[in-house]
Amino acid sequence: MFACFCLLFLFFIERRFYGESTPFGKKSHKTTEILGYLNSQQALADCAILIRSLKQNLSSEASPVVVFGGSYGETWFRLKYPHIAIGALASSAPILQFDNIVPLTSFYDAISQDFKVLYALFAKVMLQ
Ligand SMILES: *[C@@H]1O[C@H](CO)[C@@H](O)[C@H](O)[C@H]1NC(C)=O
C-alpha cells in the first residue's frame, strides 16, 4: 500500500505585446525598435524565465514541467530549453520542418494522404 500526493499547477502565459502584457506601456506598439522585441526567441526566453521564477517561488525546483498548447511554440520551447521542460504537447506543430529533417512537402503529403483515405471511405459509404 502506498500514498500518493499529487499536485499539479497549470499556468497560461500571455505573450508579451498581447493583452495586458505591454513591456513598454502605451509605447509598446509605436516603434519598430520596440516591436523588435516581439519575436519568437524573446517569447521563449520569457517562458523560460517565468517557469524558473514560478518554480522557485513555489519551492518546486525539482518538479517536472510539460509545456502544451497549439502550434510550434511549445515544441520549440522543448527543443531550446530541454533542461526546463521534460516534454511538450502541441497540436499542429510542424517543428521538424525547420531543420530540413523532412521534405518540405511532408505536411501536404500527409494531408493529401488523409483526404485520399477519407475520400475512398466516403465513396464506399455513399455507394452502399
Ligand atoms: C516570484 O517572487 C518574486 C518576489 O516576490 C516576484 O518579484 C516575482 O514576480 C515572482 N515570480 C512570479 C512568476 O510570480
Side-chain angles (χ1 to χ4, degrees):
M1 187 147 219
F2 66 94
C4 177
F5 178 71
C6 300
L7 185 60
L8 171 76
F9 291 107
L10 184 61
F11 297 96
F12 290 92
I13 298 170
E14 182 177 81
R15 305 250 188 229
R16 60 169 63 197
F17 291 94
Y18 292 95
E20 295 177 16
S21 300
T22 51
F24 297 91
K26 290 184 177 178
K27 291 190 307 185
S28 293
H29 297 93
K30 294 282 188 219
T31 69
T32 52
E33 185 185 344
I34 288 175
L35 282 171
Y37 295 106
L38 175 57
N39 62 58
S40 57
Q41 298 300 314
Q42 287 291 158
L44 296 179
D46 287 347
C47 290
I49 290 169
L50 181 70
I51 290 169
R52 281 186 159 165
S53 179
L54 283 168
K55 287 177 78 171
Q56 191 173 32
N57 288 5
L58 296 167
S59 301
S60 303
E61 283 92 345
S63 297
V65 170
V66 174
V67 293
F68 66 94
S71 197
Y72 52 83
E74 289 66 28
T75 45
W76 268 3
F77 187 85
R78 168 72 179 124
L79 290 173
K80 190 168 172 65
Y81 298 98
H83 56 291
I84 294 179
I86 63 163
L89 185 62
S91 63
S92 190
I95 190 68
L96 296 178
Q97 296 282 324
F98 294 101
D99 290 329
N100 292 327
I101 294 171
V102 293
L104 288 176
T105 60
S106 64
F107 176 77
Y108 299 103
D109 294 344
I111 296 297
S112 297
Q113 185 60 33
D114 283 351
F115 275 105
K116 268 188 210 165
V117 170
L118 285 175
Y119 180 79
L121 186 65
F122 180 73
K124 191 175 167 185
V125 168
M126 292 306 286
L127 292 175
Q128 287 179 348

